[in-house]
Amino acid sequence: MSGLSLAPWIMKRPGLLRVLKPVANWYVGAAGWRKLGLRYDDLIADENEVVQKALSRLPKDEIYARSYRLRRAMQQSILHTDLPKDQWLKEEEDIPYLTPLIEQVAKEDNERVELDNLVIERRLPTPPKSQEHH
Amino acid sequence: MLVTAASASRAVASRQRVAAARRFATVVDATGFKVAAVDRGEATTSISVVAKAGSRYEPLPGLAHVLKSFTFKTTGSKSALRTVREAELYGGLLSASLTREHVILTAEFLRGDEERFAGLLAQTLSSTKYLNHELHEDVLPVVSSEAAEAISSPAVKAIELAHAAAFRTGLGASLYASPHVAVPADAVKEFARSAFSKGNVAVVAQGISADTLAHVFQPTLKDAAAPTSSASKYFGAETRVADGHGQAVFVGFGTSGAATPELEVLAGLLSATPSVKWSKGVAPLAKTVPEGASVETLLYSYSDAALFGFLIQGATPTVVSAATKAAVAALKAVASSAPAAEDLKSGIAKAKFRAAQATEGRDGVVASLASGLLGGPSGALESTLSALGGVNASALSKAAAALTKAKPTFVAVGNVHELPYADEVGL
């Protein structure tokens, strides 16, 4: 889904994480999706089969909440304003609700590709040497 | 001369059969794991896991059907796709079937792949994940199309309705999931946990030793409370359902307790199915069934109940009602007076053949052995045959009279405006 990321590498190093976390937080705030009441996973482009399938696996209440967030954000976008500050999404509410499902679907697709392209080797006693290939 | 030769060869066959039956190592070990296995050196091996979790045990309508269709799906160690692809690569067959008493999972494969397929079965029993999206994407579409396909046949519909009318709950539950009742994944998971618990499962296998099986299944099966079903009680009722696919009538009577030898002989005696192609047969009922209608004599035997009846099918409601009258008259005739000696003889012969045939072949062996292991009637062929041979005309007549005293189960499917009512066919 996403391109290369240094995040996992940084997360493993507590010292580096301590230094960079405030920068990351500032960046997330500046990007502004939380000011529109969106979660990060709402921003994932959904015009492809993988994400569509992942969306179809969401529970009904999650689908409803997602639609509501997107509509509200759209309205704010039209008005060129952010939501009132008390309605901003809090950090702990920014849950990756869709990413695990996308990963699950992608894993299934990869497995299918892998199985479609298996090379099967027959374990038979050594075949008699053929004469025509030289 | 011919007779002696025939009886001598029959005696030899009988001895061989006894020997074959004895070679089946039936074990119920201390931990409650039940297994019956025989290795006759076949080129293929088959392992069936029989769980006492048929439709009569389901706590929610359609749960057993969904459970059957949820087999060989994603487990803790393998995805559903990988399971299927690997089975294809190894040339194995994985199947699941459902009866009112049992859910049966079967793996058939080439000798040498025991570890893989037995392991797969054990994994399916113990670690299937019952994922919600799998239920909605893969399982429910199959379940609903299976149900729609089956119910589109008037005969199947009549039999399902007959069970519901005869037993209401338990055995009355349909084998097919209802489109009107939602089955959540959590309910399937919970039912599977109790259905595949250690005491509720029997493994019947051919071409593999019981020790190997115990070794694979023992560690994976868990202890849990088995699903329960109340004791069956026969009610009987009349049901009429409009259907555009054809005409079918079921007329039957139920009893509590498994089918007696008398009932089995009665089913043989009243069978209108000819033994030879393109003939009408010489059985008493076959002579009176009109052209264009077929009468099938059915005997459903369960662990604690039986349903005896006729399934009448035909092109028009008129022939179906004439054939229904003929079938009811034939049953009443046996109930009021003892049948002729030769009819009795052919009835006994048919019943014996049916009993013997039912215990042969893979499915028959699995059904009869598993039933015995799981506490139902055991399918010991020798005793069944001798019991059938001992049925006499007056006992048969008495059994038929007792049967017809109960309230009949009458199901009409098709053109309900013209199909008869129960009181119009002599019931």
Side-chain angles (χ1 to χ4, degrees), chain B residues 333-416:
Chain B
V334 178
S336 60
S337 64
E342 65 218 58
D343 291 340
L344 176 68
K345 219 184 224 174
S346 84
I348 290 176
K350 269 191 190 170
K352 276 185 171 178
F353 179 72
R354 258 187 219 168
Q357 201 186 29
T359 57
E360 273 167 22
R362 234 162 225 183
D363 294 344
V365 167
V366 169
S368 58
L369 282 173
S371 157
L373 280 173
L374 291 170
S378 65
L381 186 57
E382 293 303 305
S383 57
T384 311
L385 291 184
S386 69
L388 288 173
V391 173
N392 62 41
S394 67
L396 186 64
S397 181
K398 225 181 270 172
L403 189 70
T404 48
K405 241 182 237 148
K407 191 181 178 196
T409 295
F410 183 92
V411 179
V413 175
N415 184 352
V416 284

Side-chain angles (χ1 to χ4, degrees), chain B residues 159-256:
Chain B
I159 288 164
E160 293 299 311
L161 289 169
H163 277 86
F167 302 110
R168 298 188 186 174
T169 54
L171 287 172
S174 175
L175 285 173
Y176 303 101
S178 151
H180 310 296
V181 183
V183 177
D186 292 343
V188 185
K189 192 171 189 175
E190 192 50 42
F191 184 52
R193 207 173 62 86
S194 62
F196 300 139
S197 59
K198 197 177 256 178
N200 203 45
V201 162
V203 179
V204 180
Q206 295 176 63
I208 188 169
S209 74
D211 295 338
T212 318
L213 286 172
H215 181 70
V216 176
F217 283 95
Q218 277 277 23
T220 50
L221 290 174
K222 295 177 187 84
D223 288 312
T228 52
S229 164
S230 53
S232 300
K233 184 170 179 287
Y234 176 71
F235 292 92
E238 181 167 353
T239 308
R240 305 171 68 76
V241 175
D243 190 291
H245 295 97
Q247 321 295 329
V249 167
F250 180 90
V251 189
F253 295 91
T255 61
S256 50

Side-chain angles (χ1 to χ4, degrees), chain B residues 261-355:
Chain B
E262 283 80 17
L263 273 185
E264 285 178 31
V265 173
L266 188 64
L269 175 73
L270 290 175
S271 161
T273 318
S275 303
V276 183
K277 214 176 170 185
W278 309 123
S279 89
K280 232 182 142 180
V282 291
L285 178 54
K287 291 176 207 155
T288 53
V289 172
E291 284 293 326
S294 74
V295 176
E296 211 179 319
T297 310
L298 302 170
L299 176 60
Y300 291 98
S301 182
Y302 301 106
S303 57
D304 61 351
L307 183 64
F308 173 92
F310 302 102
L311 178 68
I312 301 109
Q313 288 175 277
T316 63
T318 328
V319 287
V320 169
S321 57
T324 309
K325 275 178 201 155
V328 172
L331 179 61
K332 292 261 158 125
V334 178
S336 60
S337 64
E342 65 218 58
D343 291 340
L344 176 68
K345 219 184 224 174
S346 84
I348 290 176
K350 269 191 190 170
K352 276 185 171 178
F353 179 72
R354 258 187 219 168

Side-chain angles (χ1 to χ4, degrees), chain A residues 57 104 108 111 114 116 120, chain B residues 79 81-82 85 89 133 137:
Chain A
R57 292 182 183 180
Q104 184 187 47
E108 285 172 15
E111 188 179 34
E114 182 201 321
D116 280 348
I120 315 288
Chain B
S79 73
L81 182 71
R82 189 172 287 275
R85 291 289 176 93
L89 286 176
H133 72 263
E137 287 170 18

